[in-house]
Amino acid sequence: MCKVQLKNARLRPFALFMALFLMNVSWAFAQLTVTGHVKSTSGDPLIGVNVVEKGTTNGTVTDMDGNFSLRVEKGKTLVFSYIGFLSQENVVRGNRMNITLKEDTETLDEVVVIGYGSMQRKDVTSSITTVKAEDMNVGVITTPAQMLQGKVPGLTIANTSDPNGSASISLRGASSLRTGEAMEPYYVVDGVPGVSISLVAPEDIESIDVLRDASATAIYGSKAANGVIIITTKKGKKDGRTSVSYSGYVAWDRTLKTLDMMTADELLSYAKTNNITQLNDYYNVDNPANTNWQDEVLRTGFSHNHNVSINGGNEKTNYSASLNFQDREGVVRGTNMDRLNARTFVQTKALNNRLELALSLNASIRNSSTGPTDIQGRSVLDAMYYYNPLVPVKNEDGTWYRNLNISQNYNPLSMINEDRYDTKEKLLQGTAQATLHIIDGLDWNLNLSYQNQQYIYNIYNTTQTQLPSVISKHGQADRSTTENIRKQMETYLNWNHTFADAHKVGIMLGYSWEQADNNDGFGLRVYNFYNDDLTYHNLGMANNIDINDVISNNLSTLRMISFYGRINYSYKSRYLLQATVRRDGSSAFGENNRWATFPSVSAAWRITEEQFMKNQHVFDDLKLRVGYGVSGNSLGFDAFIARPLYGATGWFTYVNPDGSTSNYRMLGATRNANPDLKWESTSMFNIGIDFGFLHNRLSGTIEYYDKRTSDLIYDYPVSTNRYPYGTMTANVGDISNKGIEITINAVPVQTHNFTWSTTLNLSHNKNVVEKLTNASYSVPYIDMSDPDVGGFSGQNVQRIMEGSPIGQFYTYEWAGYNESGVSVFNDYDADGKLIGTTDAPTDEDRRKTGSAQPKLTYGWNNDFTWKNWTLTAFFQGVAGNQIYNATRNYYNNVGLVAAGKNVLSEVATEQKFSDSNAQRPSDRYLENGSYFRLATLTLGYNFGKLGNWVNNLRIYATCNNVFTITGYKGLDPEVYLGGLTPGMDWRNTQYPRTRTFMVGVNVNF
C-alpha cells in the first residue's frame, strides 16, 4: 500500500506538467495573430486607432499606415475606436481584418438650444458656444457664471473668494453707462427667460449655451444686448429605470496671499529711525503688544456641499427631483453662507402622445452673514491691515481695545463680533409647459411661469460697537424686507418640414406677456436696547425710534408685451439662412417710445458639403457664417425712469390755529419726466468660420465682430430754471466694441490607454466710448473711481470720455522726487505742453496713463485620461490690462505711522520719509494686471460599475488657484472687470483670494 502511494506521489508532478503543457499547446493553437488595416470611408489610413479585445486590456493601436497586429482567440470580438469616428465591433473569424470606420457626426448633429427652440449644430448660422456639464469648472461654486470662466471666448469673468460675493461677467465688452443688471447677460433657464440663477444648483446643470452675437440674441429683443446665457437642467430619463445619484465634496479655503504690513518691531524701528514721537501716544510704551491682525481676522474656511437627485421614467412619463445643500465659510471670520436648493420636474404625454405636459417647482433659501465692508475705514477687509500691531485685541477687562481718537480707526475683531449684517433670500418658482403636436412638424407651445423673490435684511450693532454713526445708540437694529414678483406667459408655434429631402424649412411665431412687481417692501430702524440678547429679533424691545429711520420702498410695476418670429432655411445642410424679428413694448420708457423692433439675419455656407470638396482630404468640416442683428437693453429699470417723480425732501413746521406746531413732510421733485426716453440699441455684425482637420482631431472657430451701441442712457445735468429737478435721464451716448475670438479643440495624443484632449480660447476686444454729448444734453467727461486716500478725497483716477474705453485711467504722471525728497509730477500748460514738474499738480496735469480693458483674455483646458484615471488642468488669465492698486496707494502713506496706523513694510525701503506726496493718486500705483493662472487641477478615478447596485462611482481631488504668474504687487490680479470702474483694487472691498483644496465623490445607484 505504501509503495502504491509513493508511486502516485512521484507521478503527480509529471501529470501536472503534462496538463499545463497540453493547456498551453491548446491555447497557442487557439490564438491567432490577427493583422489588419483600418481606414476612413474616404479611404485614408487612420493612425492611432485603438484595437482592443472586448472585455480585456489586450490591445494595440494602428501604425502610420493604419495597420495593426494583435494576438487574440478566434471567435473573440475586437473593438475599434477612434476620436471623430463611430466605434465598431468585429468578431475574429480569421487572421486578416480590413476595417472601415465611419465618421462620427455627433458634434455636428448635437442639439444646440436657441431661443424658443433648438437645432442641430451643423445648421447653426450664429455664434453660439455650448459648454457641457463635464466640461465646466470644478470648485466651490456658488453661481453658474463661475463655471464658465475661461470656457467661452468673449466672456470675461472675474471671480471672488467671498462666499457672499458674485462674479463680474461681461460678454464682448461693456455697452452701457448703467451698472448692475444692465451690464450683464440675460439668463434663460429651461426655456423661461429672466429666471434668477440663484435657483439653479451647479450640480443640476446639464449644459449651458451662450448666445454671443446679435443674430442669435435678437430673438430676445430688448433684453439681449449683453448676450444670452441659456441654462438647461438635468431631466428624468426614459429608460424605464429609477436612478439615484449623490455628489458631494468637502473643501478647505486658505488665503493665497496677504499684505506685507509692518510688524510691531518694524513699526517701532521705523518710528525710532525717523523720530516719529507721535506714535507713542497710541500704544502702551511700557508694554507694547505684538498683534498680527491678519492672523486674528483670517482663518481656514471649511465648506461642504451635498446633492441628491432622483430621476427616471418611461417613454410616456419622466420625472426628476434634486436637493442641494451648500455650507460655506469664508476665510474672513464672520463671513458665511448656506443655501438649500430644491428642484422637481415631471413630464407626461396625453391625447395619444400628441400633448406633452410638464410641471416644475423650484425653491431656494439662502442665508448670508458678514461684517462691515463699508467705506472710510469701516471695513474689516481694511482694518485688518491698517490697525496698529502695537495694541492688543482686547483690554484686560475683556472688552475690545479701541482708540477712537484716531480718524477712521476701528478694531476689526470688534466689527466682526459687534456689527452683524445678515441676509435671508427666499426664491420660489413654478412653471407649467405644454406642447401640442398638432400635425407632424407643427407644434404649439405654452409656457407659464411665476417667480417670487423675498429678501430679509438684518443689521445689528451692539452696545459695544465702535462704529461712529451708532456708537451712541446703545444697540441699534435694522430690519427691512423686499419682495419681487415676476409673472410670464409665452406661447409660440414651431413648424418644421423638409421638402424633397433637400429643403429644410422652419418657422416660429410667438407672443409673450410679462409683469414684474419689484421693490415692494418696508423697513424699520430702532435703537437703545437694555441689552444685546435679542439682537434684531424683537424690535419692540427698543426704547427709541426716529421717523426718519422708517424705510419705505417704491413698488415698481413693469409690463412688457412682445411679438416675435424666426424663419430658418437649409438646403442639404449646405446653404443656411436664418432671420428673426421681435417687437417689444415696455411700460418703462417714455410714452413716445414704448415700442421698438429688433431684427436679425444670418447665413452660413458649409463649404465641405460642396461637390468640389468631396474628394479633398484636408478639411473634415469648413463652414463660413455671417450675421447682423439688433438687440436692446431694457434691464435694470424701474417703472418711474421716464416719469416725473416726487418724494420727501425734508420737513417744515406748521403752526396750528391754537398756536401749537406740527411737523409735516415737504414734497419735491426727485426725477424729471422724459417722454422721449427710449431703448438702448446694440447692433452687431459677426463673421465666423468653423473648421475641422485630421478627422476632426483638430477643430475650432474664428470670429470677428463689430458691436455698436447707441442711445446710451445716462443722467445729465440740466437747469432747474427749466426743469423741476437738476438731472435728466436721457439717450445720448454711443459705445463701440470690436474684437476677434479664436477657439481651438485638439486631441494631440490618443493611444490604447492614454488620451490627451485640449481646448484653447483666445479673445481680444477693443472698447471705445464714441459719444457722450449731443445738442440737448452735454457732459465733457465723467470722472470715476476715487481711490479713497486720506488727504486726497475726490481725486478720481478714471475718466469716461470720448475716444477712450470705459476704464480709462486718467491720472497724474509721477516724475520722481525733488531736492527735498517730495514726490513731483509732470506739469503741463494750458496747451498741453510739458513744462516741467510740480509737487502740487492741478486737474489740467492729468493724462491718459493706461486702460483697465484687457487686450487678451484666454482659457486653456487640458484633459488627460489613463485607464480609469483622469487629470484636468485648466489655465486662464488676461494680458495687456492695467490695475490701479488703491490698496497700496493708501498703505504707502508715511503719515499713517504718526497717525497711529500701520503701513506696508516696503515703506521703510521704498518710500522717503520726507515725502508728503507719497499717497497722492498717480500712475505710480498703476500696475500691469496681466496674469497666467493654473486655476483648477483635478485628479479623479472612475471605479465604474460595482456589483448590482452601484452603476458608477468616481472620486476626485481638486485644487483651485494652484499658482499664479504675475507682476502685480497687490493681493490678486483677478480684480473686478465689469461695471463703469473696472480694474480698481479698492482696500475696503477686495476680499482675499484663496487657494481651495477639495475632495469629492460622485455615485449613481
Side-chain angles (χ1 to χ4, degrees):
M1 186 68 178
C2 290
K3 290 181 179 180
V4 173
Q5 290 178 345
L6 181 61
K7 185 177 180 180
N8 290 340
R10 290 174 177 173
L11 289 174
R12 283 174 188 158
F14 177 75
L16 180 60
F17 170 78
M18 289 301 295
L20 292 174
F21 174 76
L22 291 173
M23 289 174 62
N24 284 328
V25 169
S26 63
W27 177 80
F29 278 102
Q31 289 257 315
L32 296 174
T33 299
V34 179
T35 60
H37 180 75
V38 183
K39 63 180 179 180
S40 67
T41 54
S42 60
D44 297 326
L46 297 179
I47 307 166
V49 176
N50 283 331
V51 185
V52 182
E53 181 184 346
K54 188 175 182 180
T56 73
T57 58
N58 178 36
T60 185
V61 294
T62 57
D63 61 17
M64 297 291 292
D65 298 316
N67 297 320
F68 71 92
S69 176
L70 182 67
R71 290 186 63 82
V72 64
E73 291 183 36
K74 189 175 183 179
K76 295 294 185 180
T77 300
L78 294 184
V79 180
F80 298 83
S81 60
Y82 190 60
I83 290 179
F85 290 79
L86 296 173
S87 295
Q88 186 172 315
E89 297 184 3
N90 292 80
V91 178
V92 177
R93 303 192 186 281
N95 58 7
R96 182 68 185 174
M97 301 180 75
N98 291 321
I99 304 298
T100 300
L101 292 183
K102 296 180 180 179
E103 282 80 0
D104 184 3
T105 59
E106 179 182 355
T107 301
L108 296 177
D109 292 338
E110 73 173 355
V111 175
V112 177
V113 180
I114 59 177
Y116 308 103
S118 61
M119 64 172 54
Q120 291 179 313
R121 169 69 66 182
K122 63 183 179 182
D123 293 332
V124 170
T125 59
S126 306
S127 181
I128 301 176
T129 297
T130 301
V131 183
K132 299 293 186 182
E134 59 270 19
D135 298 323
M136 296 177 191
N137 293 328
V138 178
V140 183
I141 304 294
T142 54
T143 63
Q146 295 172 283
M147 305 169 71
L148 295 177
Q149 185 181 39
K151 301 294 185 180
V152 179
L155 191 66
T156 303
I157 297 175
N159 281 324
T160 176
S161 297
D162 185 354
N164 301 309
S166 59
S168 73
I169 177 170
S170 61
L171 183 64
R172 291 187 168 181
S175 56
S176 180
L177 295 179
R178 299 177 296 121
T179 58
E181 188 181 7
M183 273 202 175
E184 295 185 355
Y186 188 56
Y187 292 94
V188 178
V189 179
D190 291 333
V192 181
V195 174
S196 171
I197 57 174
S198 297
L199 279 164
V200 186
E203 291 82 359
D204 290 335
I205 295 176
E206 181 73 32
S207 65
I208 298 178
D209 294 271
V210 182
L211 313 187
R212 293 153 53 207
D213 73 336
S215 65
T217 63
I219 196 63
Y220 288 105
S222 63
K223 303 170 185 177
N226 300 312
V228 178
I229 295 179
I230 301 177
I231 298 174
T232 302
T233 62
K234 297 174 181 177
K235 303 294 192 302
K237 298 180 180 179
K238 299 182 179 181
D239 55 6
R241 298 185 304 110
T242 297
S243 64
V244 179
S245 298
Y246 167 80
S247 61
Y249 63 76
V250 293
W252 297 265
D253 274 317
R254 293 189 177 179
T255 304
L256 197 60
K257 181 182 178 182
T258 57
L259 293 182
D260 185 16
M261 308 300 291
M262 283 192 180
T263 65
D265 290 339
E266 288 175 331
L267 195 59
L268 288 173
S269 176
Y270 183 77
K272 181 178 180 181
T273 301
N274 295 284
N275 195 30
I276 308 176
T277 58
Q278 301 97 315
L279 180 62
N280 295 339
D281 298 334
Y282 301 116
Y283 74 99
N284 185 346
V285 294
D286 297 322
N287 186 26
N290 186 10
T291 305
N292 186 321
W293 290 100
Q294 295 180 64
D295 286 349
E296 297 292 336
V297 170
L298 300 176
R299 65 183 175 186
T300 297
F302 176 73
S303 303
H304 57 102
N305 183 88
H306 311 275
N307 187 275
V308 178
S309 63
I310 302 172
N311 65 77
N314 51 39
E315 288 298 324
K316 190 176 184 66
T317 302
N318 60 298
Y319 58 88
S320 66
S322 68
L323 193 66
N324 177 268
F325 177 75
Q326 183 181 58
D327 191 348
R328 185 176 180 188
E329 280 184 345
V331 293
V332 175
R333 297 183 189 277
T335 56
N336 306 280
M337 185 276 291
D338 66 77
R339 184 184 64 189
L340 179 67
N341 278 24
R343 298 182 67 81
T344 60
F345 172 85
V346 62
Q347 184 178 42
T348 190
K349 296 179 180 180
L351 301 180
N352 198 23
N353 294 335
R354 287 197 171 274
L355 178 63
E356 293 183 6
L357 298 172
L359 296 172
S360 65
L361 185 64
N362 312 308
S364 174
I365 299 176
R366 172 174 172 152
N367 298 293
S368 304
S369 297
T370 184
T373 54
D374 206 345
I375 59 173
Q376 301 293 331
R378 296 191 298 265
S379 170
V380 175
L381 304 178
D382 184 16
M384 68 176 177
Y385 299 122
Y386 72 63
Y387 217 66
N388 197 326
L390 294 168
V391 301
V393 175
K394 288 187 175 183
N395 299 310
E396 292 183 359
D397 61 2
T399 58
W400 302 108
Y401 176 86
R402 70 178 186 179
N403 188 336
L404 300 183
N405 294 321
I406 303 173
S407 175
Q408 301 170 17
N409 188 68
Y410 315 110
N411 186 326
L413 271 298
S414 170
M415 287 191 284
I416 289 172
N417 290 277
E418 309 299 338
D419 305 283
R420 301 305 309 146
Y421 297 68
D422 300 330
T423 301
K424 182 184 289 290
E425 177 190 46
K426 297 180 180 180
L427 288 92
L428 181 67
Q429 182 212 26
T431 64
Q433 299 172 316
T435 300
L436 179 63
H437 305 289
I438 301 173
I439 58 175
D440 289 346
L442 179 61
D443 297 336
W444 170 72
N445 302 272
L446 174 66
N447 294 342
L448 303 175
S449 173
Y450 175 90
Q451 179 177 287
N452 183 285
Q453 214 168 7
Q454 296 181 30
Y455 297 91
I456 303 174
Y457 304 99
N458 307 290
I459 302 176
Y460 189 74
N461 309 103
T462 75
T463 57
Q464 303 301 314
T465 183
Q466 297 183 10
L467 299 185
S469 60
V470 290
I471 194 171
S472 62
K473 296 298 183 72
H474 204 264
Q476 177 172 286
D478 293 65
R479 297 205 80 176
S480 61
T481 181
T482 299
E483 181 181 52
N484 302 323
I485 295 176
R486 185 185 187 90
K487 292 171 282 190
Q488 285 181 293
M489 186 276 288
E490 293 194 307
T491 182
Y492 54 96
L493 286 167
N494 270 317
W495 179 71
N496 294 280
H497 190 74
T498 301
F499 298 91
D501 294 327
H503 305 275
K504 185 188 298 183
V505 178
I507 298 176
M508 185 273 293
L509 296 173
Y511 165 84
S512 73
W513 172 92
E514 65 178 80
Q515 177 173 309
D517 300 297
N518 295 328
N519 204 38
D520 183 14
F522 59 92
L524 191 64
R525 177 181 299 146
V526 297
Y527 61 96
N528 192 5
F529 287 84
Y530 290 112
N531 56 49
D532 300 316
D533 292 347
L534 297 177
T535 66
Y536 50 72
H537 292 294
N538 191 338
L539 303 188
M541 295 300 292
N543 290 292
N544 295 90
I545 183 173
D546 190 327
I547 188 64
N548 290 301
D549 291 331
V550 175
I551 303 166
S552 61
N553 295 354
N554 296 321
L555 172 63
S556 170
T557 298
L558 284 172
R559 294 185 182 91
M560 179 174 286
I561 296 174
S562 304
F563 303 89
Y564 47 87
R566 176 176 58 230
I567 183 169
N568 299 299
Y569 172 75
S570 169
Y571 175 70
K572 291 185 176 181
S573 293
R574 184 188 306 167
Y575 308 119
L576 311 165
L577 179 68
Q578 175 178 286
T580 71
V581 64
R582 182 168 179 131
R583 178 77 171 165
D584 281 343
S586 172
S587 63
F589 295 99
E591 57 188 25
N592 298 331
N593 285 298
R594 288 191 171 161
W595 288 89
T597 303
F598 304 98
S600 79
V601 62
S602 58
W605 175 28
R606 290 194 65 214
I607 305 172
T608 46
E609 289 298 309
E610 293 288 356
Q611 197 61 40
F612 65 82
M613 294 289 287
K614 294 299 183 181
N615 295 323
Q616 58 85 32
H617 304 294
V618 178
F619 293 101
D620 300 296
D621 183 39
L622 185 63
K623 180 166 72 172
L624 178 66
R625 294 178 283 104
V626 62
Y628 176 84
V630 180
S631 53
N633 191 347
S634 63
L635 300 177
F637 288 115
D638 58 38
F640 314 107
I641 187 70
R643 300 182 182 184
L645 199 63
Y646 293 84
T649 58
W651 297 89
F652 72 92
T653 301
Y654 178 76
V655 180
N656 298 304
D658 60 1
S660 62
T661 60
S662 300
N663 289 329
Y664 287 87
R665 292 277 193 186
M666 287 192 299
L667 300 181
T670 57
R671 179 178 286 169
N672 291 317
N674 185 354
D676 296 321
L677 189 71
K678 60 183 178 181
W679 321 76
E680 294 179 334
S681 179
T682 296
S683 62
M684 189 187 304
F685 169 78
N686 190 94
I687 185 168
I689 186 166
D690 305 329
F691 58 85
F693 301 95
L694 303 175
H695 306 295
N696 283 318
R697 286 186 63 171
L698 177 64
S699 63
T701 298
I702 301 174
E703 307 263 358
Y704 168 79
Y705 62 87
D706 187 343
K707 174 183 175 183
R708 298 178 182 270
T709 305
S710 58
D711 298 321
L712 294 178
I713 296 175
Y714 190 71
D715 291 336
Y716 285 83
V718 292
S719 172
T720 53
N721 292 328
R722 181 178 179 185
Y723 297 99
Y725 193 63
T727 62
M728 173 70 78
T729 303
N731 302 94
V732 177
D734 295 341
I735 289 180
S736 70
N737 288 276
K738 299 178 182 179
I740 297 175
E741 299 164 351
I742 300 173
T743 300
I744 298 174
N745 307 297
V747 184
V749 179
Q750 183 190 33
T751 66
H752 172 42
N753 290 320
F754 179 74
T755 301
W756 169 31
S757 60
T758 184
T759 298
L760 174 68
N761 67 72
L762 307 167
S763 307
H764 165 73
N765 181 74
K766 183 179 181 181
N767 174 269
V768 178
V769 177
E770 302 286 355
K771 187 176 75 169
L772 281 177
T773 298
N774 64 14
S776 300
Y777 306 102
S778 175
V779 60
Y781 53 79
I782 305 170
D783 273 334
M784 308 292 293
S785 304
D786 181 355
D788 192 22
V789 176
F792 298 95
S793 177
Q795 292 200 3
N796 297 289
V797 296
Q798 287 185 341
R799 177 172 286 184
I800 298 175
M801 53 186 172
E802 294 181 359
S804 297
I806 290 178
Q808 173 68 61
F809 290 106
Y810 198 74
T811 69
Y812 302 126
E813 298 172 332
W814 187 65
Y817 301 95
N818 61 17
E819 62 277 3
S820 302
V822 176
S823 286
V824 293
F825 307 87
N826 285 340
D827 188 15
Y828 293 88
D829 62 17
D831 296 325
K833 186 177 181 180
L834 181 64
I835 58 176
T837 61
T838 177
D839 61 358
T842 61
D843 188 67
E844 69 179 17
D845 295 319
R846 295 168 65 192
R847 289 293 181 272
K848 296 180 181 180
T849 51
S851 171
Q853 300 290 342
K855 289 183 171 61
L856 180 68
T857 303
Y858 57 88
W860 180 30
N861 191 72
N862 297 272
D863 291 315
F864 305 92
T865 302
W866 182 72
K867 296 184 178 180
N868 291 346
W869 291 94
T870 59
L871 178 68
T872 299
F874 172 62
F875 302 86
Q876 58 89 208
V878 299
N881 62 308
Q882 302 291 309
I883 298 175
Y884 192 86
N885 195 339
T887 301
R888 185 165 167 257
N889 187 176
Y890 179 82
Y891 297 130
N892 256 309
N893 181 1
V894 295
L896 290 178
V897 178
K901 294 185 178 182
N902 204 0
V903 293
L904 289 164
S905 294
E906 68 180 51
V907 168
T909 55
E910 299 183 20
Q911 293 283 18
K912 295 182 182 296
F913 177 69
S914 57
D915 189 5
S916 57
N917 260 343
Q919 76 277 21
R920 184 185 290 272
S922 71
D923 66 350
R924 185 181 188 180
Y925 300 105
L926 199 60
E927 302 181 27
N928 187 345
S930 304
Y931 70 92
F932 175 76
R933 166 171 285 160
L934 176 51
T936 305
L937 186 65
T938 299
L939 178 65
Y941 186 83
N942 194 333
F943 290 91
K945 187 176 178 65
L946 299 176
N948 295 323
W949 59 286
V950 176
N951 294 324
N952 189 61
L953 173 65
R954 178 178 181 266
I955 60 173
Y956 64 93
T958 295
C959 180
N960 295 121
N961 296 331
V962 182
F963 66 80
T964 303
I965 300 174
T966 183
Y968 182 61
K969 295 181 180 180
L971 288 176
D972 190 79
E974 190 178 334
V975 299
Y976 188 74
L977 291 176
L980 297 179
T981 57
M984 291 296 298
D985 187 353
W986 274 297
R987 72 184 196 276
N988 295 300
T989 56
Q990 187 73 346
Y991 199 90
R993 182 70 60 182
T994 64
R995 177 177 289 127
T996 305
F997 301 91
M998 62 185 297
V999 178
V1001 60
N1002 300 322
V1003 59
N1004 176 261
F1005 301 98

